[in-house]
Amino acid sequence: MRAYYYDNVPGDQRLPHDYIPSKPVFTETLISLGVKYWTIPVEGHESKVDAVAQEQGYKNRDTINVSKEGLGAVYEEKIKGFFQEHMHEDEEIRYILGGSGFFDVRETPSDAWIRLAVEPGDLLVIPAGIYHRFTLDEANNIKALRLFKDEPKWIPHNRSSETDINTHRIDYLKSIGVTA
């Protein structure tokens, strides 16, 4: 996984949107935001992903293929929805099996976007309450294993004055040392 500050230049969301020269984001910054990641080679990944799942308390999983073929008629709608700035009341855990894409997370308190370029072998945990979004890159395809603490669910709460006071958002801010 490569992490860097998003350039905020208008244009296709699927482009890298990297500054020239790049402004990398270091592991310490991601840790301070509660973002976790591991690199686990796809070949033979099962036992290592199972170990992380057990250690983190993830009991359920499914696989998603985000592509025109995988999502069919709802593809365009889903891609637009994934790129809307939102938060979840649960962690978002993704292990990339194939393809590639971008997760953008909001740095707090600066409110800058940090782009996380993911590819096969990346296991990413985005904490509950952090504002983020997702998009494919120009290859238009990603296959990911989704891990869940409880029953599989993916409920986005688009950023608003209501999400700013959501208990999970407030708890997230406290966990990174920011008072709401």
Side-chain angles (χ1 to χ4, degrees):
M1 182 184 79
R2 190 169 79 84
Y4 56 91
Y5 286 99
Y6 183 88
D7 66 9
N8 286 312
V9 173
D12 189 341
Q13 68 196 38
R14 299 169 310 141
L15 296 174
H17 284 278
D18 198 358
Y19 284 96
I20 300 173
S22 186
K23 295 181 181 180
V25 174
F26 299 103
T27 302
E28 297 78 18
T29 301
L30 296 176
I31 290 169
S32 75
L33 295 173
V35 174
K36 302 175 195 172
Y37 71 94
W38 294 261
T39 300
I40 301 170
V42 173
E43 188 171 326
H45 72 274
E46 293 86 358
S47 64
K48 291 179 182 162
V49 170
D50 288 348
V52 171
Q54 183 173 7
E55 174 186 309
Q56 299 292 315
Y58 307 141
K59 299 177 190 109
N60 289 300
R61 62 185 72 189
D62 67 11
T63 302
I64 186 168
N65 181 0
V66 182
S67 65
K68 290 179 183 176
E69 296 79 22
L71 294 176
V74 298
Y75 172 77
E76 292 295 334
E77 177 187 335
K78 289 288 187 188
I79 292 301
K80 288 177 186 169
F82 293 156
F83 200 64
Q84 286 273 340
E85 183 174 4
H86 62 277
M87 57 154 265
H88 300 288
E89 294 182 348
D90 299 302
E91 292 177 321
E92 184 165 330
I93 307 101
R94 302 292 182 265
Y95 175 68
I96 310 307
L97 295 164
S100 50
F102 302 110
F103 286 89
D104 298 334
V105 296
R106 282 283 189 192
E107 181 179 46
T108 302
S110 74
D111 221 27
W113 281 115
I114 295 174
R115 178 149 273 194
L116 308 171
V118 295
E119 59 187 22
D122 289 334
L123 175 60
L124 178 65
V125 178
I126 297 174
I130 191 174
Y131 288 124
H132 66 284
R133 61 191 183 189
F134 169 78
T135 189
L136 294 170
D137 61 14
E138 292 178 283
N140 290 316
N141 179 36
I142 197 166
K143 183 177 180 182
L145 178 67
R146 303 187 307 174
L147 299 157
F148 303 93
K149 289 200 178 223
D150 295 307
E151 290 303 312
K153 65 180 176 177
W154 186 87
I155 301 171
H157 300 277
N158 290 344
R159 188 171 186 173
S160 68
S161 56
E162 287 181 26
T163 56
D164 285 342
I165 59 171
N166 177 293
T167 304
H168 294 85
R169 175 70 181 162
I170 301 298
D171 290 347
Y172 167 71
L173 292 173
K174 287 178 186 173
S175 77
I176 64 167
V178 175
T179 54

